[in-house]
Amino acid sequence: LRYVRVEFGGALIDDENELNGFAFQGVGNGTVIDNIQAHMVSDDCVEFFGGTANAKRILCTGVGDDNLDWTFGWTGKVQFLIAQQYDDAGGNGIEADNNEANNELTPVSRPVISNATFIGRPASENSKIGVLLRRGTQAELHNVVVTGFNDRCFDMDDETTFAFAVEADALTGNTVIENSIFDCATLAEDEEGDAFSLEDFLLDMNQGNEVGDPGLMAPDAVGAADFRPAPGSLAESGGQAPGDGF
C-alpha cells in the first residue's frame, strides 16, 4: 500500500464492532505500508490486530474514534504519523491493548512508535486520552508529541500493564516513552490500584520527556494545517531516534 487514501468510510456494525479506515489483521512485515491517509472515517484511523506489520508516513484527519489502535500481540513498527482530531469526532490518540481476555497472552503486543504527533481538541468531549496503554500491552514510544486532549495526555490501566512496565521501582525496558512532549490541561491522573505514579513514570523514570507547548505552526487548522515546529519552539530541537534501521 503506497499513497492510499480512505475517505468517509467505515460503518457501525453493533455497539462493540465498527469498521476502521485501515485494519491490518495478522499482517506480516513483508507487506509495505507507506504514505496512507484515513480522512473522516467513522471509526479508527489505523488498527493492527496482531501481526508484525510496519508502517511509515500515516496521516489521520477527522476520524470518528481512535487514531492508532492495536491489540492481539502486534509487534510491528510505525514511524512518521500525524493525527489531527476534529471538534465533532474523535477518541483516543493511541488506544493500545494486548489481549482483553488474557492480558498476559503471548505474543505480547510491543510495537515501536517513533516520530508521531497526536493533536486533540481541548474543548471537545470527543477528544479523550492522548496515549492509553492497557490490557497488558507493552510499547516503545520515541519522539512523540501529544497535545490538546480533553481528558488527559497519558493513562495506563490494568495490573499486567503496570507489571510489564516497572519492577521494583525501575523500568523493565518493556514499556519505554522517551524524548516526547506532552501538552494537555491534565498530564495524567493516578487511580486507585495504580502500581506507581504515572507522572513519575513519564518524567522521572523515562528520559527526555517534557511538559509544555510543542509550538507547532498551525496544528488546529482544518484543511490548512501546518504541523511543523515553529522556530524557537520546544519541538524544534527534535528528538532522538531509536537505534533501528527502520
Side-chain angles (χ1 to χ4, degrees):
L1 296 173
R2 295 184 188 272
Y3 298 98
V4 178
R5 181 168 61 206
V6 174
E7 297 181 304
F8 315 112
L12 180 68
I13 305 303
D14 56 42
D15 289 341
E16 297 295 329
N17 295 281
E18 307 90 8
L19 298 178
N20 301 314
F22 295 90
F24 298 101
Q25 315 270 358
V27 175
N29 57 20
T31 295
V32 174
I33 306 164
D34 195 349
N35 285 290
I36 63 172
Q37 178 183 4
H39 176 65
M40 295 186 72
V41 298
S42 64
D43 196 49
D44 299 340
C45 176
V46 179
E47 183 165 6
F48 294 91
F49 296 84
T52 58
N54 303 323
K56 280 187 178 179
R57 288 172 281 271
I58 300 171
L59 181 61
C60 306
T61 48
V63 303
D65 197 8
D66 308 315
N67 298 119
L68 175 61
D69 200 332
W70 69 74
T71 189
F72 296 143
W74 177 51
T75 57
K77 302 170 186 176
V78 161
Q79 186 173 203
F80 311 131
L81 179 149
I82 293 176
Q84 183 195 43
Q85 294 190 344
Y86 290 178
D87 287 337
D88 56 352
N92 301 314
I94 291 177
E95 183 176 281
D97 301 320
N98 180 39
N99 186 285
E100 182 178 2
N102 178 357
N103 292 176
E104 299 182 14
L105 191 68
T106 57
V108 175
S109 295
R110 192 182 183 279
V112 178
I113 314 299
S114 182
N115 304 90
T117 301
F118 297 92
I119 300 163
R121 293 291 197 192
S124 172
E125 63 180 14
N126 296 306
S127 186
K128 298 178 182 176
I129 299 170
V131 177
L132 172 59
L133 307 180
R134 63 183 188 179
R135 296 171 178 168
T137 192
Q138 304 172 13
E140 281 191 44
L141 274 62
H142 303 268
N143 310 339
V144 174
V145 172
V146 181
T147 180
F149 284 84
N150 180 289
D151 190 340
R152 65 196 85 173
C153 267
F154 179 73
D155 193 21
M156 184 182 289
D157 290 340
D158 302 310
E159 180 180 348
T160 305
T161 319
F162 282 90
F164 278 149
V166 173
E167 183 177 349
D169 297 325
L171 293 177
T172 63
N174 293 319
T175 298
V176 176
I177 303 174
E178 295 182 333
N179 302 307
S180 296
I181 299 171
F182 298 90
D183 178 35
C184 306
T186 301
L187 174 61
E189 287 185 358
D190 296 334
E191 300 173 355
E192 185 176 354
D194 287 358
F196 47 79
S197 162
L198 296 180
E199 184 171 324
D200 289 349
F201 176 76
L202 289 177
L203 303 181
D204 296 333
M205 297 184 192
N206 284 280
Q207 303 298 313
N209 296 325
E210 298 187 71
V211 175
D213 184 353
L216 307 183
M217 297 284 283
D220 299 323
V222 173
D226 187 341
F227 303 114
R228 295 173 300 169
S233 67
L234 190 59
E236 185 188 28
S237 62
Q240 182 175 338
D244 184 291
F246 182 76

